[in-house]
Amino acid sequence: YLHGYVDAFEAVMLGPDFADPELGYRAWIDVDSWVDFAIIQELNRNIDGYKKSSYYTKEPDIDGGRVHMGPLWDFNLAFANVDYCEGALTAGFVYQTNWCFNYPDNYTPWWESLLMEDPWFAQQLRCRWEELRQDVLSIENIHGIIDEQVALLVDAEPRDHARWDVIGTYVWPNAQVADSYAGEIAFLKDWISQRVAWLDANLPGDCP
């Protein structure tokens, strides 16, 4: 049943009416969840985003039957913690990184690229981004969350480093190796700030 549903959905996506409000993809997916999922994957530039690290859930038909993205998981290859596929760059879109992989099983589903080409979907993406940037994804809030976690781990941090002596040491697939814990935190904050600024300037869509 699920295979058949996905086959039918892909047939719609490849058809001439894929962007039609009633006949196209909007009748098949929960757009809000797909927008939020894309924002999170792009914000942290998760190299495994959209493909390996993706869960989909489908509503029962009685509730509409649409496919939702989520729950979110697996961000070990995100936030510049990866030294391949340009994962540490603050520029560029994750959904466009198929060039880096040489086997189709690791490709981002073509659904994402096609959705980004639809002006309506791009508008939803841009408007949601601008809404979240006002509070949840403001630099002040993101840095504040990091500071809260640093404070929470203040006692555990030296114990961790006594047991796992890796500060200043390359551990696959680190793109950044700071010589102190504080240096790692500073790098993370700076990378996020630059990434958010790039998305502000380059995320597709216009919000009226």
Side-chain angles (χ1 to χ4, degrees), residues 125-141:
L125 186 72
R126 168 58 74 168
C127 288
R128 179 62 168 160
W129 172 257
E130 293 183 1
E131 174 191 355
L132 293 172
R133 287 283 287 117
Q134 298 303 308
D135 42 48
V136 176
L137 295 184
S138 69
I139 292 300
E140 294 76 16
N141 189 58

Side-chain angles (χ1 to χ4, degrees), residues 59-109:
E59 299 171 335
D61 289 343
I62 195 172
D63 294 326
R66 288 176 172 80
V67 173
H68 291 244
M69 290 294 282
L72 295 167
W73 77 294
D74 195 8
F75 295 97
N76 64 311
L77 300 182
F79 293 108
N81 189 43
V82 57
D83 59 2
Y84 60 90
C85 294
E86 300 182 346
L89 297 183
T90 56
F93 292 110
V94 177
Y95 78 89
Q96 294 176 339
T97 55
N98 281 348
W99 58 268
C100 179
F101 301 100
N102 58 8
Y103 48 100
D105 286 350
N106 207 21
Y107 287 172
T108 295

